[in-house]
Amino acid sequence: GDVLATTIPEYALMVIIMFVGGFMWAYIIGAVCAVTATLDIKKIEHQQLYDQINSMLVDMSIDRSTAARVRSFMFQSEEMERRDAYSELVEFLSPELQGLMCDEISARTLGKVNYFVSRTNRFRFAIYKALTRRLYVPQELIHEDRLLIIANQGVVGSDGRIYTRGMALNTDFFLQCDEIREAGTLITRALNYVELELLSRRDFALIVRQFPAERPYITAFRVFYALRRRVARGDLLEAPSTGSGETDFGACFDAVRRDPLAIVGCPEDFRDNAALVHEALKRDASLIRYASARLRGDARFVRRAITAAGAGWPESVLPHVSEDLRGLLT
């Protein structure tokens, strides 16, 4: 049965034992909680950020559907935030281990870009540290002129092609001439939650400047991409050969430059020329309705028209493009 205290010394000893036992119990519980709280710091930081955003959604009475999309985005971004801190952690390693880590990383991401293959470990590690990460929601249009690499998850649609994990887009981002640069001119859309690694032209130029030995190799690829883009876009930039002669096309071009509505009076074969139509679109994007059916179905040309139209493109451009592109844009 129970052993009860009967004298004053026994009562005093019982109180001391209970005090010591309570202290030990509190110490053990506190130690366990402290260890648990520091097991995954990034997860705890993300949960705190999630709680703050959730409180903001409630305080500002955000629409339920919008709030659900924001919460879904936060849930998907947890792993991206974790990977974003890895570039800083790698710097704590020795140079040799950094090189080994870079080989492993570049095999999955940077190795998919031609001009990063067979480069020195220090150069590729500098590229890796300069990469920034961004998460896009399903059906979101991606307006970027930077190098895009699908890092860990997601599918991207661009110019009728599908890009999956490890593939790269806008690989000609380092070209200086916007007229021949494909980067930023294509209609690119995230088909589901997609995590992208991005490299800006400015950061890339700074890295190349720090590694003079790599500069000739990068320059050779820059010339190659420029020539390839010139060949690919030459049929759009040259005037079509017609029986009217070059002087008629030049006069039509000058008229459109003075008054964009002059494109209405241009011959139909002239309105199949991207340079002529784009000259009119610079001041009135709705004039795309006078472009040829081929141009209104060309993703690159429609992207230029959307850029010229700005925020009003759904009213001025969208009704006049081909049905296939209209379905992609809506």
Side-chain angles (χ1 to χ4, degrees):
D2 296 337
V3 178
L4 302 177
T6 57
T7 64
I8 293 178
E10 290 177 348
Y11 278 113
L13 179 61
M14 182 182 66
V15 170
I16 293 173
I17 292 175
M18 292 177 64
F19 178 79
V20 173
F23 176 79
M24 294 179 61
W25 177 83
Y27 177 80
I28 293 173
I29 294 298
V32 172
C33 292
V35 172
T36 305
T38 56
L39 286 178
D40 195 341
I41 298 177
K42 286 296 180 181
K43 185 177 183 65
I44 295 172
E45 292 177 352
H46 178 80
Q47 290 174 344
Q48 292 174 345
L49 178 62
Y50 184 93
D51 291 339
Q52 293 174 5
I53 292 180
N54 196 44
S55 299
M56 177 191 69
L57 296 175
V58 175
D59 291 342
M60 300 182 67
S61 301
I62 302 299
D63 179 72
R64 180 174 297 180
S65 60
T66 303
R69 295 186 64 188
V70 173
R71 294 187 180 101
S72 178
F73 176 85
M74 292 301 301
F75 178 77
Q76 296 288 336
S77 64
E78 179 180 354
E79 291 301 322
M80 184 194 70
E81 293 178 3
R82 187 190 308 276
R83 286 187 288 270
D84 198 32
Y86 288 164
S87 58
E88 298 179 2
L89 295 178
V90 175
E91 292 184 353
F92 288 98
L93 303 177
S94 67
E96 181 179 354
L97 292 177
Q98 288 182 8
L100 294 175
M101 290 286 293
C102 185
D103 285 339
E104 293 287 339
I105 295 170
S106 62
R108 295 190 298 268
T109 55
L110 300 182
K112 303 297 182 180
V113 183
N114 292 335
Y115 40 85
F116 292 153
V117 177
S118 301
R119 299 297 90 210
T120 61
N121 286 338
R122 292 180 61 241
F123 177 75
R124 284 184 293 173
F125 184 61
I127 295 293
Y128 171 71
K129 290 194 296 183
L131 292 174
T132 58
R133 288 174 175 80
R134 181 171 295 177
L135 186 69
Y136 292 87
V137 300
Q139 301 305 313
E140 181 176 0
L141 285 174
I142 302 173
H143 301 284
E144 288 288 350
D145 59 357
R146 294 180 284 181
L147 175 67
L148 307 178
I149 301 176
I150 302 177
N152 188 63
Q153 62 178 356
V155 178
V156 171
S158 178
D159 195 29
R161 288 173 288 183
I162 299 297
Y163 296 84
T164 57
R165 177 180 179 180
M167 301 179 71
L169 299 85
N170 293 352
T171 52
D172 62 350
F173 77 112
F174 49 45
L175 296 179
Q176 301 295 327
C177 181
D178 292 335
E179 291 297 325
I180 63 173
R181 188 162 52 88
E182 187 180 49
T185 63
L186 300 180
I187 300 174
T188 305
R189 186 185 293 272
L191 302 183
N192 56 4
Y193 281 101
V194 57
E195 178 186 338
L196 295 179
E197 293 180 337
L198 304 96
L199 178 65
S200 68
R201 192 193 316 177
R202 177 179 177 274
D203 290 340
F204 184 61
L206 291 175
I207 294 173
V208 173
R209 195 174 298 122
Q210 295 172 5
F211 295 88
E214 307 288 351
R215 192 175 302 171
Y217 187 83
I218 300 300
T219 302
F221 266 95
R222 182 179 286 117
V223 173
F224 169 76
Y225 274 94
L227 291 176
R228 190 170 70 173
R229 294 289 180 259
R230 286 289 188 185
V231 172
R233 299 174 64 91
D235 58 334
L236 299 179
L237 298 177
E238 294 179 358
S241 57
T242 64
S244 303
E246 293 183 1
T247 56
D248 291 341
F249 178 82
C252 186
F253 193 91
D254 291 337
V256 171
R257 181 174 293 174
R258 291 191 301 269
D259 181 9
L261 289 175
I263 194 174
V264 179
C266 293
E268 185 176 352
D269 51 357
F270 286 178
R271 284 185 271 125
D272 189 52
N273 181 270
L276 175 66
V277 179
H278 185 65
E279 187 66 29
L281 299 183
K282 290 179 180 178
R283 284 184 282 178
D284 187 356
S286 65
L287 294 177
I288 191 176
R289 63 183 181 272
Y290 295 111
S292 66
R294 182 183 70 85
L295 289 180
R296 286 185 280 114
D298 186 282
R300 293 184 179 89
F301 183 79
V302 171
R303 177 67 181 89
R304 296 170 67 184
I306 292 175
T307 303
W313 70 268
E315 294 78 22
S316 59
V317 177
L318 186 60
H320 308 295
V321 302
S322 65
E323 293 184 3
D324 293 341
L325 287 180
R326 196 178 309 149
L328 179 63
L329 291 170
T330 55

